[in-house]
Amino acid sequence: MKQTLTFSDATYGFGAGIFFIGYFLFEVPSNLLLAKIGARKTLLRIMLIWGIVATAMAFVETPMQFYVARFLLGVFEAGFFPGIILYFTYWYPSARRGQMIALFMTATAISSVVAGPLCGAIMKYANGAGGLHGWQWLFIVEGLPAAVLGIVAYLYLQDKPEDAKWLSQDEKKTLRWQLDHDEKDVESASHTGLGQLFADPKVYALALAYFLLLGATYTMVFWIPSLIKSWGVADLLMVGLCAAVPQLCGIFATVWIGRHSDKHRERRWHYMACVAAAATGMGIIALSQGNLAASMAGLTLAGIGWIAATPLFFTTTTEYLSKASAAGGIALISSLGNLGPAAGPSVTGWLSARTGSPVYSMLLVIAFYALSGIILLLCVRPAKAHARPA
């Protein structure tokens, strides 16, 4: 795209970054709107308009068009992830929420496995078709299905259990009782509204923990191809296959860990174990000095840790926040945490350039994971002992 449109590195970099500004500004308003109008209308708005703008990216020609499109992508995508997390709180009590959020989050890992080969194939084989470049077809093929899925979500999803035609009246009453008498696994805040939410330092501590988690994880995501190449893997197909291994292992591990967390009604130490696994995997990579087998083992362990950590983090967050503050709190923590991907790769890249070695950047990533776990342990306390359902 940059070559075809002759965009400078500065133009491309600014356009890439302006997405996060729109995303940051509209995350909380979008989730507050979802709480008022429901998930069906919210997902219709997000996916339909986002899909249209993503498709329109194929036809940008000037830097200003590029900037506007990227900013609007951030605006319209804002609220999707925290909206889904909020939506789960309407349907699943705490005792089942870890597994459900984990199942949802496997989509991220699956898309990472599928997207690379699929995007490469579109770029290669669709290039020139209909007089369009491969990158233009990539945006079209990416955007249009999202718009269609927004319509499908509106037609088939139900906002709350009371609206579900596939539940009997007794099932609706049972589920509503479980949701209204939900016994949480961590101490909950007593927020009665947004004012108390914004004044709660623990909310910002959780945002910092998520900032560190995402900063470390996105740094690793950007690093993986170059790391694998540095281990002596030159063939691009083999690089892609090696990069898929931690994602595939993470898909199965995150569901099992989420289910295990639900079974034992414990969140904090499960999260700490995941970030510890990610940090340990990074340590193995640093100590392996390019040995392919050992480095792949470390990368796989790290991948399992960082993929499984996010569902546990948001399961914990939904239990900490009160019903009155859930919509704004989930979005606020998500929006602040999503600044991590903008900071993490930049800081580690600068550190590697200054020191001439990636080792110090790896140590910083390890510290990010460890600090994220420690912060969550310190700011969220376990719930007082109560009678747990069998």
Side-chain angles (χ1 to χ4, degrees), residues 39-50:
R40 295 171 66 234
K41 293 179 180 178
T42 299
L43 289 177
L44 174 64
R45 169 183 60 82
I46 289 175
M47 298 193 68
L48 180 62
I49 303 177
W50 183 92

Side-chain angles (χ1 to χ4, degrees), residues 13-252:
F14 182 76
I18 200 172
F19 167 91
F20 291 98
I21 297 176
Y23 193 93
F24 174 77
L25 292 175
F26 287 87
E27 188 115 291
V28 173
S30 177
N31 234 32
L32 294 176
L33 184 62
L34 184 150
K36 291 185 177 181
I37 68 174
R40 295 171 66 234
K41 293 179 180 178
T42 299
L43 289 177
L44 174 64
R45 169 183 60 82
I46 289 175
M47 298 193 68
L48 180 62
I49 303 177
W50 183 92
I52 292 171
V53 175
T55 304
M57 281 283 294
F59 305 102
V60 300
E61 296 180 348
T62 67
M64 183 54 66
Q65 292 173 350
F66 179 53
Y67 298 153
V68 171
R70 284 290 298 173
F71 178 76
L72 291 178
L73 281 175
V75 169
F76 295 127
E77 186 176 331
F80 176 81
F81 178 76
I84 296 295
I85 300 300
L86 179 64
Y87 183 60
F88 283 146
T89 68
Y90 296 160
W91 287 84
Y92 297 103
S94 298
R96 295 194 62 200
R97 202 174 296 156
Q99 179 182 346
M100 294 302 107
I101 295 178
L103 281 170
F104 167 67
M105 289 299 298
T106 60
T108 303
I110 293 171
S111 67
S112 298
V113 174
V114 173
L118 179 61
C119 292
I122 294 170
M123 293 277 286
K124 180 177 180 179
Y125 296 110
N127 190 39
L132 299 177
H133 298 286
W135 65 265
Q136 292 176 297
W137 279 113
L138 187 62
F139 282 117
I140 294 170
V141 173
E142 170 192 6
L144 290 180
V148 172
L149 280 173
I151 299 173
V152 172
Y154 178 77
L155 293 175
Y156 287 97
L157 283 182
Q158 304 298 328
D159 285 327
K160 293 185 178 180
E162 289 80 2
D163 303 324
K165 297 178 181 179
W166 40 271
L167 289 176
S168 68
Q169 289 301 318
D170 287 341
E171 288 171 332
K172 291 178 182 179
K173 290 180 181 178
T174 299
L175 180 54
R176 175 47 55 194
W177 188 92
Q178 290 178 345
L179 291 168
D180 290 341
H181 298 82
D182 193 10
E183 292 187 337
K184 299 183 178 182
D185 304 312
V186 302
E187 285 187 354
S188 297
S190 57
H191 308 144
T192 58
L194 290 179
Q196 291 184 347
L197 169 71
F198 288 121
D200 185 355
K202 289 187 176 181
V203 169
Y204 299 100
L206 285 169
L208 177 58
Y210 192 47
F211 176 97
L212 294 169
L213 174 65
L214 286 190
T217 297
Y218 272 80
T219 298
M220 285 304 303
V221 169
F222 293 146
W223 265 358
I224 285 175
S226 58
L227 276 176
I228 294 173
K229 287 181 181 179
S230 71
W231 302 336
V233 181
D235 183 78
L236 292 179
L237 176 60
M238 288 303 299
V239 171
L241 292 175
C242 289
V245 171
Q247 302 291 342
L248 288 170
C249 293
I251 291 170
F252 297 101

Side-chain angles (χ1 to χ4, degrees), residues 260-318:
H260 191 268
S261 175
D262 282 348
K263 179 180 179 181
H264 292 276
R265 303 297 302 272
E266 199 288 321
R267 310 298 183 191
R268 301 161 63 250
W269 287 104
H270 277 76
Y271 179 78
M272 186 65 193
C274 288
V275 293
T280 302
M282 287 298 300
I284 292 172
I285 293 172
L287 295 173
S288 297
Q289 298 182 342
N291 180 278
L292 179 59
S295 297
M296 279 301 303
L299 182 61
T300 301
L301 178 61
I304 290 172
W306 78 59
I307 293 171
T310 300
L312 286 168
F313 176 85
F314 276 100
T315 302
T316 307
T317 298
T318 60

